[in-house]
């Protein structure tokens, strides 16, 4: 039997690589990185020990999802900062919240979450586990 132990990366298909990287770096503190794969230069967003590989819509790398398109993702990201600080940061960056803070259930228990959209209209949930 095989047992998965963690998520290494996921792929987002985006309309504009530069706009996406600016948003995730400016709003969520991720790092825009470039790397080589199969002789091609690719872009990704890194944070902690994870990364989000980016595919430009219409120029996706193979193999790819069966129907890649911008705006089809729903991501939950965990932060350590108090939710009041998260909300103030989002307001400062001009990010409109869609919902929250609301109680939800994360992978290991209760979380407090806020929701907003990235430039491609992907749903982003930023959450915090209680102390």
């Amino acid at each position: 039997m095989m047992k998965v132990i963690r998520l290494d990366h996921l792929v987002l298909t985006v309309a504009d690589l530069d706009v996406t990287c600016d948003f995730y770096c400016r709003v969520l503190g991720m790092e825009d990185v470039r790397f080589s794969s199969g002789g091609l230069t690719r872009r990704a967003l890194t944070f902690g020990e994870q990364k989000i590989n980016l595919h430009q819509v219409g120029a996706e790398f193979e193999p790819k999802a069966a129907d890649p398109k911008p705006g089809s993702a729903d991501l939950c990201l965990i932060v350590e900062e108090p939710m009041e600080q998260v909300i103030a940061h989002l307001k400062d960056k001009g990010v409109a919240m869609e919902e929250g803070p609301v109680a939800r259930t994360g992978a290991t228990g209760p979380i407090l979450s806020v929701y907003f959209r990235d430039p491609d209209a992907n749903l982003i949930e930023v959450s915090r586990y209680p102390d």
Side-chain angles (χ1 to χ4, degrees):
M1 169 131 178
M2 176 175 53
K3 182 178 178 183
V4 175
I5 59 168
R6 68 183 174 99
L7 178 68
D8 182 78
H9 70 276
L10 57 90
V11 176
L12 282 182
T13 301
V14 303
D16 186 309
L17 292 169
D18 291 329
V19 169
T20 296
C21 289
D22 173 69
F23 178 84
Y24 281 84
C25 293
R26 183 175 48 81
V27 174
L28 295 168
M30 295 184 184
E31 184 179 346
D32 178 2
V33 297
R34 294 168 197 260
F35 65 100
S36 265
S37 178
L40 301 170
T41 299
R42 299 187 52 186
R43 284 177 87 176
L45 298 159
T46 61
F47 58 101
E49 295 181 356
Q50 294 80 41
K51 73 175 180 168
I52 300 172
N53 286 341
L54 301 174
H55 286 189
Q56 176 78 43
V57 68
E60 297 87 358
F61 295 96
E62 296 291 341
K64 64 180 182 281
D67 188 20
K69 59 181 102 182
S72 62
D74 180 342
L75 308 175
C76 179
L77 304 167
I78 303 299
V79 297
E80 293 179 339
E81 293 77 16
M83 194 52 64
E84 297 79 19
Q85 186 177 335
V86 169
I87 293 167
H89 174 75
L90 292 172
K91 286 180 182 176
D92 183 58
K93 298 297 181 183
V95 177
M97 290 190 324
E98 288 200 6
E99 188 175 349
V102 293
R104 296 289 190 246
T105 303
T108 62
I111 54 178
L112 190 60
S113 301
V114 294
Y115 294 84
F116 55 92
R117 304 248 173 213
D118 76 0
D120 288 303
N122 292 302
L123 183 63
I124 307 300
E125 177 182 0
V126 170
S127 304
R128 183 178 195 279
Y129 280 93
D131 293 328

